[in-house]
Amino acid sequence: VQLQASGGGLVQAGGSLRLSCAASGRTFSSSDMGWFRQAPGKEREFVATITRSGGGTYYADSVMGRFTISRDNAKNTVSLQMNSLKPEDTAVYYCAATTRGNLRNSNSYNIWGQGTQVTVSS
């Protein structure tokens, strides 16, 4: 699997963005997918994850109720709908794939996209 993230940009606080991650390869539907983010000077942190079937979704407390992760296995895509954005959501967002391990732990993911910048102005 190879991953290509897109959809980042500059938005005002309270606004919305939708990130997309396109996957190539035939193993997408057998991979659990996650979104992580890294702000300047900070460690990469977990944002959201979705199981391979799409039946399970998990979120960081900081984004619960504002972000929604989804996937379309027919189109090999995973998306992150981000609403009510806050300046503290500013970061580079990465999509990642894994077939095992703790889905909230970035060390479990062995395939990463290139990242897309999200900037939220106050």
Side-chain angles (χ1 to χ4, degrees), residues 33-100:
M33 300 298 296
W35 285 97
F36 292 79
R37 66 188 182 187
Q38 187 166 18
K42 296 187 177 181
E43 294 186 351
R44 189 171 297 185
E45 66 172 357
F46 166 74
V47 175
T49 186
I50 186 167
T51 57
R52 58 202 67 184
S53 68
T57 57
Y58 307 93
Y59 299 91
D61 290 344
S62 59
V63 307
M64 183 78 72
R66 300 188 297 122
F67 290 11
T68 302
I69 189 171
S70 61
R71 68 188 295 163
D72 186 335
N73 285 346
K75 295 182 178 180
N76 279 13
T77 59
V78 59
S79 299
L80 185 69
Q81 177 66 43
M82 305 187 295
N83 298 329
S84 302
L85 283 161
K86 304 175 181 180
E88 51 264 43
D89 294 318
T90 295
V92 177
Y93 283 70
Y94 299 89
C95 59
T98 182
T99 56
R100 59 182 179 179

Side-chain angles (χ1 to χ4, degrees), residues 26-40:
R26 293 177 288 179
T27 59
F28 177 77
S29 61
S30 61
S31 299
D32 301 311
M33 300 298 296
W35 285 97
F36 292 79
R37 66 188 182 187
Q38 187 166 18

